[in-house]
Amino acid sequence: MTTPPHTADEGAELLPVATAARTRAALRTLVRPDRGLALTGIGVLVAATVVGLLVQPLLGRIVDIVADGRPAGDLTLPVVLLIAVAAVQGVTTTLGLTRVARLGETVLARLREQFVERALNLPADRLERAGSGDLTARVTGDVARVTEAVRSALPEMARSVLAIGLTLGALALLDVRFLLAALLAVPVQLLTARWYVRRAVTLYADQRVANGAQQQQLLETIGGAVTVRGHRLEERHTERGADRSRKAVDLTMRSVNLVLGFYGRLHIAEYIGLAAVLIAGFWLVRDGAVSIGTATAAALYFHSLFGPVNAALVLLDDAQSAAAGLARLVGVTDLAEQPEPKPGKPEAAGKPEAGEPEPAGKPAAGKTTPGKAAPASVPRQRVASPEAAVSVHAVSHAYGPGRPVLHEVSLTLAPGEHVALVGASGAGKSTLARIVAGVQQPTAGTVTGLTAGTVTAPAGPGGPSVVLVTQEVHVFTGTLADDLRLARPDATDDDLRAALATVDALDWAAALPDGLATVVGEGGHRLDAARAQQLALARLVLADPALAVLDEATAEAGSAGARALERSAGAALTGRTALVVAHRLTQAVAADRVVVLEAGRVVESGPHEMLRDADGPYAALWRAWSGSRAAPHP
């Protein structure tokens, strides 16, 4: 269960945060596979703590020997035992902390993998509503805070809690009145812990949200620096950044003051407890109930509690901060686990209603069609078939209340047809492309055909049913061959070369220092925008989808390489159904059909020549783009 998502200013809906109960349940789930390691580590730490508790009675024994005026030789045995205790405690403590640390690192690795896996599956529109800063803050700051707590706080907390419990038991064994005296400090400590926790939970959660909002503002300002300068918005964005920074700093200073008050109250508890134990020892020694050595051991026991008690309470600071971070991480993983709402009718998109037969010639939702095997040196090309058809029916979408993007759009892609989407910026082209690709769910309407249950990785011998290529391609760090094999892990080097040749990229790939073995991406050989796009198109060829969706996939090439990259895209789309968001109208000329969007509605549809001569919206776009706009009619 998660709490309702925070809503930042300017309408951003931050990702949800898990409740405390859900966070604890998630933590138990993470630890469950390593219960044996946890029990062993705690058992060894218990043994180490028990051995360490022998130090105080041995020191008390030495005090009694001196107080009784006994020979110096009587000190030999206690001293030897002290050395042995120190050695055994050191070894067992090291072993116990090692196992607890291994448990923490294992759980941490599992948490990271789970978070990354599920964050990658979040709906695109949900991330857009939250903003990239919120997710970035969780990936960086929250993961780092949990990591720090697991590596330092968890072992220390385990040892401190054991030391506190066993030391109080040892005080009771000396004399129960020593235990009662020591417990006078507990009310102050409990009130201090309660006072701190009640304030820290909300404060640290607010601090994480403020840091996320600050990071979001920085990302928006830096990422859109050109636009900010172009519209002379520097002062406004600077002020927004300053406001969010001031809020983050204010929350940080409140947390510092909270910690200072926390420490001050702990010192009062220590004074009360130690004074009570010393007074009890004085009375008991005066009455002959205990020896001076026993009273000394009791005082040393309580003094030895200063470290564990303070450590345990101080670690509440790290624990609360880590708990806030963990709740934010669990909130994301829970959001990814929740089924996405189905548009339109309750039935899944592309699936017939109850009692209705499957349409002939079409696969059920989520299925893919195996492609035919080809020689290893040639990429598999899919022959157009009725199974590649896609139908969009009355699809609408909005990114929030009052922010509609698409209005009851209907569109059908015939088998093997290449359709170009054109329109002004903000017309809804990219949104429609993502919905057809299956990476985003529409608010209303249905998409039937291969996109129902779309997969983004090879699913069987036929590969994925649909692949989306956008202008924001990424060159992954590793060899060029590994980067290509992300689309088809079983591809041979000949398959990779054939895919590169298909998109006219083999020449420059072969000219790299180590050919396919050249390391590319961050820290490796840098590829320019045009080559990175060709690499993405080569992955499309290797994946061999029945449907390809290109969302301005050639936009980053610039004017010089635009035509070459468009030829590469055309070759990659050969033999498959394609939907292309066209940023250059030369792509519309090459398409079988052009669909014009205006304000989220289809206003024209037909071949390029027909629409160009119809003197409608497309003709106006064509005249404006080609630089031959006719004089407007009266």
Side-chain angles (χ1 to χ4, degrees):
M1 183 176 181
T2 57
T3 60
H6 295 279
T7 302
D9 50 359
E10 302 179 8
E13 183 185 334
L14 301 184
L15 296 168
V17 178
T19 62
R22 176 68 191 104
T23 303
R24 289 192 296 270
L27 186 59
R28 288 193 296 269
T29 301
L30 289 169
V31 176
R32 188 172 294 120
D34 298 290
R35 285 175 295 183
L37 182 62
L39 293 175
T40 304
I42 293 174
V44 175
L45 283 179
V46 168
T49 305
V50 170
V51 171
L53 292 177
L54 297 175
V55 171
Q56 289 82 355
L58 289 173
L59 291 175
R61 178 63 176 168
I62 292 174
V63 169
D64 283 337
I65 291 174
V66 174
D68 294 341
R70 297 169 59 181
D74 291 350
L75 297 174
T76 302
L77 181 59
V79 171
V80 171
L81 290 176
L82 281 173
I83 296 174
V85 166
V88 173
Q89 185 185 23
V91 172
T92 52
T93 300
T94 301
L95 290 175
L97 291 178
T98 299
R99 298 192 71 82
V100 172
R102 183 180 300 173
L103 171 68
E105 291 295 332
T106 304
V107 171
L108 181 62
R110 189 176 294 121
L111 172 65
R112 283 173 167 169
E113 293 169 0
Q114 187 180 94
F115 177 81
V116 171
E117 176 188 358
R118 294 180 181 173
L120 291 174
N121 291 323
L122 288 176
D125 57 338
R126 186 65 185 85
L127 287 179
E128 289 178 359
R129 294 200 306 271
S132 56
D134 186 31
L135 183 61
T136 302
R138 298 183 191 223
V139 172
T140 56
D142 292 323
V143 170
R145 190 59 58 89
V146 174
T147 300
E148 181 182 354
V150 167
R151 290 179 175 172
S152 59
L154 178 62
E156 185 62 29
M157 177 67 83
R159 185 171 64 172
S160 298
V161 170
L162 288 173
I164 293 169
L166 294 175
T167 301
L168 291 177
L171 277 172
L173 289 177
L174 292 179
D175 193 295
V176 72
R177 286 167 287 188
F178 285 127
L179 174 60
L180 295 176
L183 291 179
L184 291 178
V186 172
V188 179
Q189 292 168 336
L190 291 179
L191 289 174
T192 299
R194 183 184 178 189
W195 172 84
Y196 174 77
V197 169
R198 290 177 61 182
R199 289 161 176 77
V201 172
T202 303
L203 180 58
Y204 283 121
D206 291 342
Q207 192 174 6
R208 299 265 69 78
V209 171
N211 289 339
Q214 180 190 34
Q215 194 161 5
Q216 175 68 25
Q217 181 62 46
L218 291 175
L219 289 173
E220 290 177 351
T221 302
I222 296 173
V226 175
T227 303
V228 170
R229 287 195 296 267
H231 290 274
R232 300 181 180 277
L233 299 174
E234 298 94 335
E235 185 174 345
R236 183 185 301 178
H237 275 257
T238 300
E239 183 60 30
R240 288 177 182 172
D243 287 342
R244 295 187 178 184
S245 296
R246 280 193 292 268
K247 184 175 181 180
V249 170
D250 177 64
L251 289 170
T252 301
M253 294 307 301
R254 285 174 55 190
S255 67
V256 170
N257 291 331
L258 182 66
V259 171
L260 291 177
F262 178 67
Y263 277 115
R265 287 166 170 78
L266 287 184
H267 292 327
I268 295 174
E270 292 174 358
Y271 172 80
I272 292 173
L274 183 58
V277 170
L278 290 175
I279 292 172
F282 171 77
W283 283 341
L284 292 173
V285 170
R286 187 189 62 179
D287 296 340
V290 299
S291 67
I292 296 176
T294 301
T296 302
L300 291 175
Y301 270 137
F302 186 82
H303 188 272
S304 69
L305 284 175
F306 285 7
V309 169
N310 288 347
L313 294 177
V314 168
L315 287 174
L316 285 174
D317 181 71
D318 293 333
Q320 292 303 316
S321 181
L326 183 60
R328 284 162 54 83
L329 298 180
V330 174
V332 172
T333 58
D334 283 353
L335 181 65
E337 284 182 329
Q338 295 170 3
E340 296 181 26
K342 299 295 182 181
K345 297 180 180 181
E347 289 78 12
K351 189 175 182 179
E353 296 184 22
E356 205 172 27
E358 288 274 357
K362 289 186 180 182
K367 294 182 181 179
T368 58
T369 304
K372 296 181 179 180
S377 60
V378 180
R380 299 172 293 175
Q381 289 295 328
R382 194 181 294 273
V383 179
S385 69
E387 295 171 338
V390 175
S391 179
V392 177
H393 178 67
V395 161
S396 298
H397 189 74
Y399 288 106
R403 299 170 58 193
V405 179
L406 298 176
H407 305 273
E408 297 187 351
V409 173
S410 295
L411 174 67
T412 299
L413 276 69
E417 184 182 24
H418 290 186
V419 175
L421 278 179
V422 301
S425 178
K429 303 184 300 296
S430 294
T431 300
L432 181 58
R434 290 199 297 268
I435 290 174
V436 171
V439 300
Q440 186 164 309
Q441 292 289 339
T443 305
T446 57
V447 180
T448 59
L450 289 173
T451 54
T454 293
V455 294
T456 55
S465 59
V466 60
V467 165
L468 170 67
V469 181
T470 71
Q471 69 182 74
E472 298 175 353
V473 299
H474 183 71
V475 179
F476 294 88
T477 301
T479 66
L480 182 64
D482 289 341
D483 204 302
L484 289 166
R485 286 193 176 98
L486 290 171
R488 185 173 151 200
D490 62 344
T492 65
D493 286 351
D494 287 340
D495 293 332
L496 304 185
R497 293 188 184 94
L500 291 169
T502 300
V503 298
D504 296 326
L506 184 58
D507 289 342
W508 64 257
L512 293 175
D514 299 312
L516 293 176
T518 302
V519 176
V520 295
E522 190 70 27
H525 187 92
R526 290 299 182 94
L527 301 180
D528 59 29
R531 290 182 175 182
Q533 289 284 3
Q534 284 182 315
L535 182 59
L537 292 171
R539 287 199 292 257
L540 168 64
V541 173
L542 287 166
D544 188 28
L547 170 66
V549 180
L550 270 57
D551 184 6
E552 299 190 355
T554 61
E556 295 296 329
S559 300
R563 291 300 177 90
L565 197 52
E566 286 173 10
R567 287 194 298 271
S568 299
L573 297 180
T574 300
R576 65 185 94 253
T577 306
L579 179 66
V580 179
V581 176
H583 64 288
R584 294 184 179 88
L585 292 189
T586 51
Q587 297 169 297
V589 173
D592 300 318
R593 181 159 53 102
V594 179
V595 174
V596 183
L597 287 180
E598 274 191 5
R601 291 181 172 87
V602 175
V603 294
E604 278 188 312
S605 177
H608 160 74
E609 293 82 2
M610 184 184 78
L611 298 183
R612 181 194 58 194
D613 299 335
D615 200 24
Y618 180 77
L621 288 172
W622 177 261
R623 288 193 298 268
W625 182 80
S626 62
S628 58
R629 180 187 293 275
H633 293 290

